[in-house]
Amino acid sequence: MKNVLVVGGAGYIGSHAVKMLKEKGYNAVVYDNLSKGHRQAVRGMEFVKGDLGDKKKLAAVFKKYNIDAVMHFAAFIEVGESVKEPARYYNNNIVKVISLLDAMVENGVKYFVFSSTAATFGEPVEAKISERHPQNPINPYGQTKLMVEKVLKDYDKAYGLKSSVLRYFNAAGAEDGGKIGESHTPETHLLPIILQAASGKRDSIKIFGEDYPTKDGSCIRDFVHVNDLSSAHILALEKMFRTNESDDFNLGSGEGFSVKEVIECAKRVTGRPIKVEAAPRRAGDPAVLVADSAKAKKVLGWQTLYNLDKIIQTAWNWELKRKY
Ligand code: UFG
């Protein structure tokens, strides 16, 4: 049985990956400082409270659990915040990650799955973004992720550290049982905010910009279910174990939906009215972001199992049942 350390495993995507790792027969150990993550999201798993930048603690954990691979989810993820507070982003998302990689190299842990992002591409110059699309991030968040991608290439060449870089588009949804799900404070993501407007926790949802060059004027995004993202992590890990090679994959459904379409779909799925308000554009938002995930499908055999309706159904189930 392989032992996988999941750094940030108490967070939104990390906790779903942990659940799937367990289901697929891996031994997952969660490592999280709980600054953003939730203790309740760690269910029946080894848990170590620790910071990403704590090399000594990481070294001890690598030894104690005989760790074969690391999945890294412990990043700051808000574009707007990264513009206002770049120092925090460069420190947490680059400096501390390099210290984690050094701890891996020093302790002979050879495999790394890295959560990267569509934000590394910046403004798209093609309709669908493949791995070959130029990477010109337009905000510090995207810069931090791209920088680590570059570090990983050099660490592979110099130290033989193998990595899978997974660039998510818009992660959404929750596991089917509704026991874990998305919970950020403050919440900035579109779907949870729409569903809080549906459940009455908020009065309305603001549409940030209705004058984009899109079919209805609102931004278009590619929503991908958190379980589909999790399955890609495991496929990428297995491919690395098999081939001992680094690789990168863009992960999305390949289909774009506008903010207004998502709201309409949420009205249908929840059966609730959702009040909308027009608002100015949000800084740093590209008009359209849609993935070309052909490579993940071909090379990893990855399939997405959740369409937008199902994504919203699972997120709604979580919104109604959530305990944290
Ligand atoms: N939006 C609204 N109203 C809201 C919240 C969001 O109109 O209250 C709009 C945004 O302007 C954007 C779309 O909904 O057009 C999606 O916004 P999110 O904040 O949900 O997601 P982003 O596309 O900004 O960000 C996601 C990830 C980031 C990652 C980025 C990559 O959450 O971590 O994709 O581009 F950086």
Side-chain angles (χ1 to χ4, degrees):
M1 188 191 267
K2 298 272 194 201
N3 302 313
V4 181
L5 187 71
V6 185
V7 180
Y12 170 43
I13 303 174
S15 61
H16 285 80
V18 165
K19 181 168 184 272
M20 198 173 281
L21 278 166
K22 196 178 165 195
E23 285 162 6
K24 301 271 181 196
Y26 288 88
N27 179 37
V29 178
V30 174
Y31 186 91
D32 200 300
N33 69 3
L34 299 181
S35 69
K36 304 265 180 191
H38 305 272
R39 188 63 183 83
Q40 301 99 302
V42 186
R43 302 172 59 84
M45 215 68 64
E46 286 283 350
F47 173 70
V48 179
K49 188 170 177 203
D51 193 78
L52 178 58
D54 190 342
K55 255 176 100 174
K56 261 199 194 145
K57 191 169 247 179
L58 282 166
V61 169
F62 290 152
K63 285 205 182 76
K64 178 172 179 195
Y65 296 100
N66 198 17
I67 295 296
D68 298 291
V70 173
M71 289 187 180
H72 168 56
F73 297 93
F76 294 157
I77 57 161
E78 280 176 46
V79 170
E81 187 181 64
S82 79
V83 176
K84 288 187 198 121
E85 298 175 58
R88 284 182 62 227
Y89 275 71
Y90 285 112
N91 185 49
N92 189 71
N93 291 8
I94 301 180
V95 178
K96 287 188 178 183
V97 180
I98 292 175
S99 138
L100 163 67
L101 297 176
D102 290 345
M104 289 178 66
V105 171
E106 284 160 22
N107 292 279
V109 182
K110 276 189 62 183
Y111 300 100
F112 187 63
V113 183
F114 179 58
S115 303
S116 190
T117 170
T120 58
F121 295 108
E123 281 293 344
V125 294
E126 283 152 26
K128 288 196 180 183
I129 301 176
S130 77
E131 294 75 7
R132 292 175 305 282
H133 189 285
Q135 287 179 289
N136 295 306
I138 55 170
N139 51 60
Y141 169 65
Q143 296 281 13
T144 65
K145 291 289 181 176
L146 181 57
M147 186 68 215
V148 173
E149 289 193 16
K150 291 178 180 174
V151 169
L152 288 172
K153 283 190 185 137
D154 292 338
Y155 272 47
D156 184 357
K157 278 188 213 129
Y159 313 123
L161 182 88
K162 302 298 165 188
S163 60
S164 297
V165 167
L166 304 180
R167 300 187 196 95
Y168 314 157
F169 282 63
N170 287 64
E175 59 119 8
D176 303 288
K179 292 199 169 71
I180 54 175
E182 188 166 10
S183 176
H184 298 115
T185 311
E187 189 53 77
T188 61
H189 292 108
L190 179 67
L191 189 55
I193 292 180
I194 291 176
L195 296 178
Q196 287 171 10
S199 71
K201 277 191 199 141
R202 286 176 195 255
D203 291 340
S204 62
I205 160 99
K206 289 193 173 77
I207 300 178
F208 296 142
E210 293 179 306
D211 57 349
Y212 284 98
T214 58
K215 54 191 166 185
D216 60 20
S218 64
C219 284
I220 292 180
R221 291 290 182 272
D222 179 338
F223 296 88
V224 53
H225 194 274
V226 64
N227 281 347
D228 287 332
L229 288 179
S230 300
S231 70
H233 282 72
I234 292 166
L235 291 168
L237 185 67
E238 283 168 355
K239 188 204 160 230
M240 261 194 310
F241 285 148
R242 227 174 29 243
T243 63
N244 202 36
E245 275 172 13
S246 296
D247 214 336
D248 64 330
F249 302 97
N250 288 1
L251 302 178
S253 70
E255 205 179 344
F257 290 94
S258 73
V259 169
K260 289 182 182 177
E261 285 174 333
V262 178
I263 295 169
E264 285 313 307
C265 190
K267 282 185 190 163
R268 193 160 34 78
V269 169
T270 63
R272 304 271 179 101
I274 297 169
K275 206 172 137 200
V276 301
E277 273 179 72
R281 288 184 180 198
R282 190 174 68 176
D285 276 344
V288 182
L289 281 176
V290 181
D292 173 350
S293 291
K295 182 178 171 189
K297 286 185 181 132
K298 188 165 168 233
V299 176
L300 300 177
W302 184 56
Q303 280 182 313
T304 52
L305 303 178
Y306 294 78
N307 60 18
L308 185 65
D309 266 52
K310 276 196 182 168
I311 288 175
I312 296 180
Q313 270 160 23
T314 59
W316 181 234
N317 185 37
W318 160 249
E319 175 59 24
L320 295 175
K321 288 189 183 158
R322 60 192 281 179
K323 296 271 191 314
Y324 62 88

